[in-house]
Amino acid sequence: MDHQARRRQIADALLRIVDREGLEGVSLRHVAAEAGVSMGSVQHYFATKDQMMIFALIHVHERIYQRVNACLDPRSPRDLVRSAIIEMLPLDDERRTEARIALAFLARSAVAPEYAATLREGYPYHALFFAEQIRRAQQNGEAPADLVPEQEAVLLFAITQGLVNPTLIGHYTEETVIDALDRHLDRIFRAG
């Protein structure tokens, strides 16, 4: 079997456990049973539980990035940013699952530097993408010239993250979240 495919199979099993039980439910034995493979097979691909969990964290982020990239056809900068943010919000079953998993890993990262480092690696991509779209909008006269794209990108990412958890627990409805997002995007992407 393709080694990367087997690693992803094991990671998917681990993520299903995290979604159901949290990180506390993860053990090599449980992951092997969930994946339908032997303990030896899991240990062949991952030397430690932490190595397996970090691979699974990267794997779930790759799934999200693939989905976000799939919605990024050539459109206006505002539409691109809006589509990307909506793909990161827990507005359907798949995205709620990913948000629960991400929240579990985020909590772990507060006390586990290797998890925090893995999470930090992905953050610059969001900021870079948002800043590039704001800069593009400024060049097209679709955003005020006095905005600082890097600062606005930090705010966009913070707002996105700030909407995830309240939406995940049902505090905000989908309509409330979309309205808040659109109002903020209207502030950024308006004629310069």
Side-chain angles (χ1 to χ4, degrees):
M1 178 174 200
D2 175 333
H3 292 293
Q4 277 304 99
R6 178 66 78 184
R7 289 169 65 89
R8 285 190 299 272
Q9 175 191 0
I10 293 168
D12 285 334
L14 183 146
L15 294 172
R16 287 191 300 273
I17 293 169
V18 171
D19 184 41
R20 281 193 318 262
E21 304 172 34
L23 292 180
E24 311 79 46
V26 175
S27 70
L28 294 176
R29 177 170 277 110
H30 288 128
V31 172
E34 182 76 23
V37 299
S38 69
M39 280 273 300
S41 183
V42 172
Q43 291 171 321
H44 172 75
Y45 291 102
F46 301 101
T48 67
K49 177 181 169 182
D50 280 333
Q51 186 184 70
M52 179 178 61
M53 293 191 36
I54 288 172
F55 180 85
L57 174 59
I58 293 167
H59 177 61
V60 76
H61 282 156
E62 287 172 352
R63 287 188 345 206
I64 295 167
Y65 291 137
Q66 288 170 358
R67 197 178 59 248
V68 167
N69 286 334
C71 74
L72 300 181
D73 56 18
R75 293 183 277 174
S76 73
R78 183 192 189 282
D79 289 345
L80 289 172
V81 169
R82 185 180 191 275
S83 294
I85 291 173
I86 285 174
E87 286 301 320
M88 293 186 275
L89 296 173
L91 300 177
D92 62 20
D93 288 340
E94 179 181 13
R95 291 178 282 175
R96 275 189 290 277
T97 295
E98 290 167 348
R100 283 190 300 270
I101 291 166
L103 184 57
F105 279 109
L106 179 63
R108 177 77 178 131
S109 72
V111 295
E114 63 276 15
Y115 290 68
T118 301
L119 288 174
R120 277 194 308 273
E121 287 174 12
Y123 289 170
Y125 296 108
H126 299 289
L128 180 62
F129 172 75
F130 293 153
E132 285 174 353
Q133 297 313 311
I134 294 166
R135 201 170 291 108
R136 194 173 131 223
Q138 288 173 319
Q139 292 166 354
N140 297 340
E142 299 167 357
D146 64 340
L147 291 179
V148 179
E150 294 75 17
Q151 291 174 352
E152 295 299 328
V154 169
L155 289 172
L156 276 171
F157 185 71
I159 288 167
T160 302
Q161 294 304 299
L163 290 172
V164 170
N165 293 343
T167 305
L168 183 62
I169 63 169
H171 180 69
Y172 294 146
T173 65
E174 179 175 345
E175 295 78 23
T176 300
V177 170
I178 298 296
D179 180 60
L181 173 61
D182 284 338
R183 280 186 290 114
H184 187 72
L185 292 177
D186 288 345
R187 185 188 67 76
I188 296 171
F189 296 100
R190 65 183 193 280

XYZ file of all heavy atoms in Angstrom, residues 115-188:
591
model
N 2.945 21.218 19.271
C 1.631 21.436 18.668
C 1.480 22.915 18.302
O 0.973 23.246 17.229
C 0.512 21.023 19.617
C 0.410 19.535 19.837
C 1.394 18.830 20.515
C -0.683 18.819 19.371
C 1.303 17.471 20.716
C -0.795 17.449 19.575
C 0.215 16.779 20.244
O 0.120 15.431 20.447
N 1.905 23.785 19.211
C 1.825 25.221 18.950
C 2.648 25.594 17.720
O 2.201 26.383 16.879
C 2.303 26.002 20.172
N 3.826 25.010 17.586
C 4.675 25.295 16.425
C 3.984 24.868 15.133
O 4.026 25.585 14.125
C 6.016 24.592 16.572
N 3.329 23.726 15.158
C 2.616 23.242 13.972
C 1.480 24.183 13.610
O 1.289 24.513 12.435
C 2.083 21.813 14.214
O 3.196 20.955 14.516
C 1.352 21.277 12.999
N 0.735 24.639 14.598
C -0.357 25.575 14.331
C 0.171 26.906 13.804
O -0.397 27.484 12.872
C -1.190 25.801 15.588
C -2.078 24.639 16.020
C -2.731 24.940 17.356
C -3.132 24.344 14.966
N 1.253 27.400 14.395
C 1.820 28.689 13.968
C 2.274 28.662 12.519
O 2.227 29.681 11.834
C 2.992 29.089 14.864
C 2.598 29.751 16.148
C 3.783 30.417 16.834
N 4.922 29.547 17.007
C 5.117 28.730 18.058
N 4.226 28.707 19.027
N 6.180 27.973 18.134
N 2.709 27.517 12.036
C 3.198 27.427 10.656
C 2.115 27.792 9.645
O 2.415 28.335 8.587
C 3.716 26.014 10.357
C 5.023 25.709 11.025
C 5.450 24.260 10.842
O 4.852 23.539 10.007
O 6.386 23.845 11.536
N 0.859 27.517 9.953
C -0.215 27.800 9.013
C -0.711 29.236 9.040
O -1.266 29.720 8.051
N -0.515 29.935 10.137
C -1.076 31.272 10.278
C -0.567 32.280 9.241
O -1.357 33.075 8.718
C -0.864 31.805 11.688
C -1.706 31.116 12.743
C -1.482 31.336 14.080
C -2.725 30.239 12.402
C -2.251 30.706 15.064
C -3.493 29.606 13.362
C -3.247 29.842 14.689
O -4.010 29.220 15.642
N 0.716 32.292 8.905
C 1.178 33.290 7.916
C 0.496 33.172 6.555
O 0.342 34.170 5.856
C 2.675 33.007 7.800
C 3.045 32.344 9.074
C 1.832 31.544 9.464
N 0.060 31.985 6.172
C -0.593 31.818 4.872
C -1.911 32.581 4.817
O -2.245 33.183 3.807
C -0.814 30.337 4.553
C 0.476 29.580 4.417
C 0.878 28.675 5.395
C 1.314 29.785 3.326
C 2.075 27.991 5.290
C 2.512 29.111 3.214
C 2.896 28.213 4.193
O 4.085 27.549 4.091
N -2.659 32.548 5.909
C -3.918 33.295 5.958
C -3.645 34.788 5.813
O -4.269 35.471 4.993
C -4.657 33.058 7.283
C -5.034 31.644 7.523
N -6.023 31.007 6.815
C -4.558 30.733 8.405
C -6.141 29.762 7.243
N -5.263 29.575 8.204
N -2.726 35.268 6.609
C -2.419 36.700 6.595
C -1.904 37.133 5.228
O -2.309 38.183 4.712
C -1.403 37.025 7.688
N -1.045 36.336 4.636
C -0.504 36.671 3.326
C -1.616 36.723 2.275
O -1.697 37.668 1.484
C 0.562 35.651 2.921
C 1.217 35.863 1.563
C 1.957 37.192 1.520
C 2.179 34.716 1.260
N -2.491 35.734 2.288
C -3.594 35.699 1.328
C -4.504 36.909 1.502
O -4.837 37.599 0.539
C -4.398 34.404 1.475
C -5.655 34.390 0.652
C -5.595 34.198 -0.711
C -6.890 34.600 1.250
C -6.756 34.208 -1.486
C -8.052 34.604 0.493
C -7.982 34.408 -0.882
N -4.904 37.187 2.738
C -5.782 38.325 2.994
C -5.108 39.636 2.570
O -5.721 40.483 1.921
C -6.189 38.395 4.468
C -7.074 37.266 4.932
C -7.064 36.880 6.262
C -7.919 36.601 4.060
C -7.882 35.850 6.715
C -8.746 35.570 4.494
C -8.719 35.197 5.827
N -3.852 39.811 2.946
C -3.131 41.043 2.599
C -3.005 41.199 1.085
O -3.182 42.306 0.556
C -1.751 41.056 3.257
N -2.735 40.106 0.382
C -2.623 40.176 -1.080
C -3.939 40.604 -1.717
O -3.952 41.403 -2.660
C -2.204 38.820 -1.650
C -0.753 38.484 -1.430
C -0.398 37.063 -1.884
O -1.309 36.280 -2.250
O 0.793 36.746 -1.858
N -5.040 40.096 -1.205
C -6.340 40.455 -1.777
C -6.692 41.909 -1.480
O -7.260 42.599 -2.327
C -7.432 39.513 -1.260
C -7.233 38.067 -1.663
C -6.910 37.897 -3.139
O -7.587 38.441 -4.001
N -5.858 37.149 -3.429
N -6.351 42.390 -0.304
C -6.611 43.792 0.037
C -5.760 44.692 -0.858
O -6.253 45.693 -1.399
C -6.352 44.052 1.538
C -7.381 43.282 2.374
C -6.389 45.554 1.840
C -7.042 43.182 3.840
N -4.504 44.330 -1.031
C -3.611 45.105 -1.903
C -4.158 45.126 -3.337
O -4.177 46.168 -3.997
C -2.209 44.496 -1.863
C -1.119 45.439 -2.276
C 0.280 44.898 -1.987
N 0.548 44.844 -0.553
C 0.624 43.719 0.181
N 0.474 42.548 -0.376
N 0.867 43.769 1.468
N -4.614 43.980 -3.801
C -5.192 43.884 -5.152
C -6.433 44.785 -5.268
O -6.617 45.483 -6.265
C -5.543 42.425 -5.445
C -5.815 42.154 -6.894
C -5.989 40.651 -7.128
N -7.215 40.514 -7.904
C -8.148 39.619 -7.710
N -8.027 38.718 -6.764
N -9.214 39.581 -8.468
N -7.267 44.766 -4.234
C -8.459 45.613 -4.234
C -8.071 47.090 -4.252
O -8.711 47.896 -4.930
C -9.328 45.292 -3.022
N -7.036 47.447 -3.531
C -6.576 48.837 -3.537
C -6.125 49.250 -4.936
O -6.448 50.342 -5.405
C -5.433 49.037 -2.539
C -5.879 48.998 -1.087
C -4.714 49.034 -0.114
O -3.692 48.382 -0.325
N -4.877 49.811 0.959
N -5.400 48.366 -5.589
C -4.928 48.662 -6.950
C -6.089 48.834 -7.927
O -6.005 49.601 -8.878
C -3.990 47.551 -7.440
C -2.689 47.505 -6.691
C -1.910 46.217 -6.934
O -2.380 45.287 -7.580
N -0.689 46.173 -6.403
N -7.194 48.108 -7.678
C -8.378 48.180 -8.543
C -9.345 49.274 -8.119
O -10.427 49.394 -8.699
C -9.128 46.837 -8.535
C -8.309 45.703 -9.093
O -7.341 45.919 -9.817
N -8.690 44.480 -8.762
N -9.009 50.037 -7.066
C -9.907 51.071 -6.572
C -11.087 50.507 -5.796
O -12.100 51.185 -5.613
N -10.969 49.270 -5.313
C -12.055 48.608 -4.586
C -11.842 48.618 -3.076
O -12.611 48.003 -2.338
C -12.190 47.153 -5.068
C -12.510 47.033 -6.542
C -12.320 45.616 -7.069
O -11.875 44.718 -6.302
O -12.603 45.401 -8.250
N -10.792 49.285 -2.632
C -10.505 49.408 -1.199
C -9.759 50.714 -0.990
O -8.978 51.133 -1.858
C -9.669 48.225 -0.711
N -9.980 51.364 0.139
C -9.301 52.634 0.413
C -7.777 52.482 0.394
O -7.232 51.506 0.914
C -9.787 53.010 1.816
C -11.078 52.279 1.976
C -10.914 50.998 1.205
N -7.118 53.452 -0.192
C -5.662 53.410 -0.315
C -4.964 53.541 1.035
O -3.816 53.111 1.180
C -5.189 54.515 -1.257
N -5.641 54.105 2.033
C -4.994 54.318 3.328
C -5.016 53.092 4.236
O -4.439 53.115 5.322
C -5.584 55.531 4.042
C -7.062 55.352 4.390
O -7.729 54.490 3.774
O -7.544 56.087 5.271
N -5.673 52.012 3.811
C -5.639 50.787 4.616
C -4.250 50.163 4.546
O -3.594 50.199 3.502
C -6.650 49.759 4.087
C -8.131 50.053 4.250
C -8.958 48.919 3.634
C -8.492 50.231 5.712
N -3.824 49.585 5.651
C -2.557 48.849 5.671
C -2.924 47.372 5.547
O -3.480 46.788 6.486
C -1.760 49.127 6.967
C -0.467 48.325 6.978
C -1.495 50.623 7.121
N -2.664 46.763 4.370
C -3.122 45.395 4.127
C -2.713 44.384 5.206
O -3.525 43.540 5.599
C -2.498 45.048 2.775
C -2.398 46.364 2.079
C -2.044 47.336 3.177
N -1.488 44.489 5.701
C -1.030 43.531 6.716
C -1.813 43.671 8.018
O -2.125 42.669 8.671
C 0.480 43.699 6.972
C 1.353 43.329 5.792
C 1.349 44.375 4.656
O 0.935 45.528 4.883
O 1.761 44.002 3.541
N -2.135 44.895 8.396
C -2.924 45.111 9.614
C -4.353 44.604 9.434
O -4.918 43.974 10.335
C -2.936 46.591 9.989
C -1.603 47.109 10.462
C -1.612 48.616 10.686
O -2.578 49.313 10.348
N -0.522 49.135 11.235
N -4.936 44.888 8.284
C -6.290 44.410 8.008
C -6.332 42.891 7.947
O -7.314 42.269 8.363
C -6.825 45.016 6.709
C -7.010 46.513 6.765
C -8.005 46.969 7.828
O -8.973 46.240 8.127
O -7.804 48.074 8.377
N -5.267 42.282 7.434
C -5.199 40.816 7.357
C -5.205 40.195 8.755
O -5.876 39.178 8.993
C -3.952 40.383 6.587
N -4.479 40.809 9.688
C -4.477 40.320 11.069
C -5.884 40.406 11.645
O -6.370 39.463 12.293
C -3.474 41.123 11.937
C -3.655 40.824 13.417
C -2.044 40.809 11.504
N -6.565 41.523 11.397
C -7.935 41.680 11.896
C -8.889 40.666 11.270
O -9.735 40.096 11.962
C -8.443 43.099 11.634
C -7.821 44.204 12.479
C -8.277 45.571 11.985
C -8.164 44.011 13.939
N -8.755 40.435 9.972
C -9.612 39.448 9.306
C -9.430 38.060 9.908
O -10.394 37.336 10.149
C -9.319 39.402 7.803
C -10.018 40.432 6.956
C -9.469 40.408 5.535
C -11.519 40.190 6.946
N -8.177 37.690 10.139
C -7.916 36.375 10.723
C -8.471 36.307 12.139
O -9.101 35.306 12.521
C -6.422 36.054 10.706
C -6.122 34.673 11.191
C -6.461 33.571 10.428
C -5.514 34.465 12.415
C -6.204 32.277 10.869
C -5.245 33.179 12.865
C -5.593 32.088 12.092
N -8.281 37.363 12.917
C -8.787 37.380 14.289
C -10.310 37.313 14.308
O -10.903 36.591 15.126
C -8.292 38.634 15.013
N -10.952 38.034 13.420
C -12.415 37.997 13.350
C -12.892 36.608 12.964
O -13.840 36.076 13.548
C -12.936 39.075 12.378
C -12.764 40.453 13.024
C -14.381 38.820 11.970
C -12.950 41.605 12.076
N -12.223 36.008 12.001
C -12.589 34.648 11.583
C -12.491 33.696 12.764
O -13.434 32.950 13.056
C -11.672 34.166 10.443
O -11.777 35.078 9.352
C -12.048 32.774 9.984
N -11.361 33.727 13.461
C -11.183 32.840 14.604
C -12.177 33.150 15.713
O -12.669 32.258 16.392
C -9.741 32.927 15.122
C -8.709 32.403 14.136
C -9.003 30.984 13.724
O -9.032 30.077 14.545
N -9.237 30.768 12.444
N -12.480 34.432 15.878
C -13.436 34.840 16.903
C -14.863 34.400 16.616
O -15.674 34.272 17.536
N -15.175 34.146 15.367
C -16.506 33.667 15.008
C -16.639 32.154 15.130
O -17.742 31.637 15.303
C -16.844 34.090 13.566
C -17.082 35.580 13.344
C -17.199 35.877 11.855
C -18.314 36.055 14.090
N -15.522 31.438 15.065
C -15.571 29.969 15.033
C -16.201 29.388 16.291
O -17.193 28.655 16.223
C -14.175 29.368 14.778
C -14.182 27.853 14.998
C -13.706 29.687 13.360
N -15.628 29.655 17.446
C -16.090 28.984 18.668
C -17.530 29.317 19.051
O -18.307 28.411 19.357
C -15.129 29.245 19.822
C -13.786 28.600 19.588
O -13.643 27.715 18.751
N -12.779 29.061 20.297
N -17.948 30.604 19.035
C -19.358 30.883 19.358
C -20.322 30.228 18.365
O -21.411 29.807 18.744
C -19.445 32.411 19.301
C -18.058 32.899 19.484
C -17.175 31.842 18.891
N -19.909 30.149 17.101
C -20.758 29.489 16.102
C -20.798 27.994 16.360
O -21.859 27.358 16.274
C -20.228 29.779 14.683
O -20.141 31.195 14.506
C -21.137 29.187 13.625
N -19.661 27.424 16.716
C -19.564 25.995 16.978
C -20.494 25.556 18.102
O -21.122 24.494 18.024
C -18.114 25.615 17.314
C -17.822 24.156 17.556
C -18.127 23.317 16.317
C -16.356 23.976 17.961
N -20.624 26.378 19.131
C -21.476 25.991 20.266
C -22.913 26.487 20.115
O -23.722 26.348 21.032
C -20.880 26.454 21.610
C -20.784 27.982 21.678
C -19.516 25.801 21.849
C -20.455 28.517 23.063
N -23.226 27.081 18.960
C -24.601 27.489 18.699
C -24.985 28.852 19.238
O -26.155 29.206 19.256
N -24.010 29.630 19.679
C -24.298 30.974 20.188
C -24.699 31.908 19.048
O -25.587 32.742 19.210
C -23.098 31.526 20.944
C -23.311 32.895 21.503
N -24.182 33.154 22.542
C -22.785 34.095 21.153
C -24.171 34.446 22.817
N -23.341 35.038 21.985
N -24.001 31.796 17.928
C -24.328 32.591 16.747
C -24.972 31.695 15.703
O -24.531 30.566 15.483
C -23.075 33.203 16.112
C -22.366 34.239 16.945
C -20.984 34.345 16.889
C -23.053 35.123 17.757
C -20.306 35.299 17.623
C -22.379 36.084 18.505
C -21.003 36.157 18.428
O -20.338 37.100 19.162
N -25.982 32.219 15.046
C -26.589 31.505 13.929
C -25.748 31.749 12.677
O -24.932 32.684 12.623
C -28.020 32.003 13.658
O -27.950 33.375 13.218
C -28.902 31.880 14.888
N -25.986 30.937 11.668
C -25.289 31.130 10.396
C -25.570 32.525 9.843
O -24.661 33.206 9.355
C -25.725 30.067 9.386
C -25.056 30.213 8.040
C -25.387 29.093 7.074
O -25.914 28.047 7.507
O -25.110 29.276 5.872
N -26.810 32.977 9.949
C -27.176 34.298 9.436
C -26.412 35.403 10.160
O -25.937 36.365 9.538
C -28.692 34.528 9.572
C -29.542 33.607 8.724
C -29.675 32.194 9.314
O -29.510 32.006 10.541
O -29.923 31.270 8.524
N -26.293 35.287 11.476
C -25.569 36.286 12.258
C -24.103 36.334 11.850
O -23.521 37.414 11.692
C -25.690 35.975 13.771
O -27.067 36.006 14.125
C -24.903 36.962 14.613
N -23.509 35.163 11.673
C -22.095 35.073 11.303
C -21.862 35.675 9.920
O -20.938 36.480 9.728
C -21.620 33.600 11.347
C -20.243 33.447 10.748
C -21.637 33.096 12.777
N -22.689 35.300 8.964
C -22.534 35.810 7.598
C -22.748 37.325 7.570
O -21.999 38.064 6.907
C -23.510 35.103 6.623
C -23.228 33.604 6.569
C -23.451 35.730 5.236
C -21.882 33.217 6.015
N -23.736 37.809 8.318
C -23.984 39.245 8.376
C -22.786 39.984 8.971
O -22.354 41.013 8.433
C -25.253 39.536 9.196
C -25.544 41.021 9.270
O -25.738 41.639 8.209
O -25.552 41.565 10.402
N -22.223 39.472 10.063
C -21.055 40.112 10.688
C -19.873 40.123 9.728
O -19.175 41.138 9.593
C -20.692 39.386 11.985
N -19.660 39.006 9.057
C -18.566 38.922 8.095
C -18.769 39.927 6.964
O -17.852 40.677 6.614
C -18.468 37.498 7.539
C -17.466 37.293 6.403
C -16.054 37.617 6.855
C -17.556 35.853 5.893
N -19.959 39.955 6.398
C -20.224 40.865 5.279
C -20.079 42.325 5.680
O -19.537 43.133 4.915
C -21.618 40.608 4.691
C -21.658 39.360 3.826
O -20.587 38.925 3.335
O -22.753 38.806 3.653
N -20.526 42.667 6.883
C -20.384 44.059 7.344
C -18.912 44.429 7.474
O -18.505 45.529 7.092
C -21.131 44.283 8.662
C -22.634 44.471 8.426
C -23.420 44.850 9.675
N -23.500 43.731 10.604
C -22.934 43.685 11.808
N -22.265 44.716 12.258
N -23.063 42.630 12.579
N -18.109 43.513 7.991
C -16.680 43.822 8.119
C -16.022 43.906 6.739
O -15.216 44.804 6.492
C -15.971 42.784 8.993
C -14.556 43.170 9.269
N -14.220 44.202 10.117
C -13.393 42.702 8.756
C -12.906 44.352 10.132
N -12.385 43.459 9.312
N -16.366 42.992 5.855
C -15.789 43.037 4.509
C -16.211 44.303 3.769
O -15.415 44.876 3.009
C -16.175 41.792 3.720
C -15.562 40.482 4.217
C -16.085 39.308 3.403
C -14.038 40.529 4.199
N -17.441 44.758 3.997
C -17.894 46.001 3.372
C -17.065 47.193 3.850
O -16.851 48.146 3.102
C -19.379 46.257 3.670
C -20.306 45.322 2.911
O -19.843 44.659 1.945
O -21.485 45.224 3.299
N -16.596 47.133 5.086
C -15.745 48.204 5.618
C -14.406 48.237 4.890
O -13.869 49.296 4.590
C -15.517 47.993 7.117
C -14.747 49.126 7.784
C -14.379 48.813 9.211
N -13.413 47.752 9.347
C -12.095 47.872 9.109
N -11.606 49.016 8.672
N -11.278 46.860 9.285
N -13.866 47.050 4.585
C -12.551 46.970 3.926
C -12.663 47.199 2.422
O -11.925 47.977 1.839
C -11.901 45.595 4.185
C -11.622 45.414 5.669
C -10.616 45.444 3.365
C -11.191 44.007 6.037
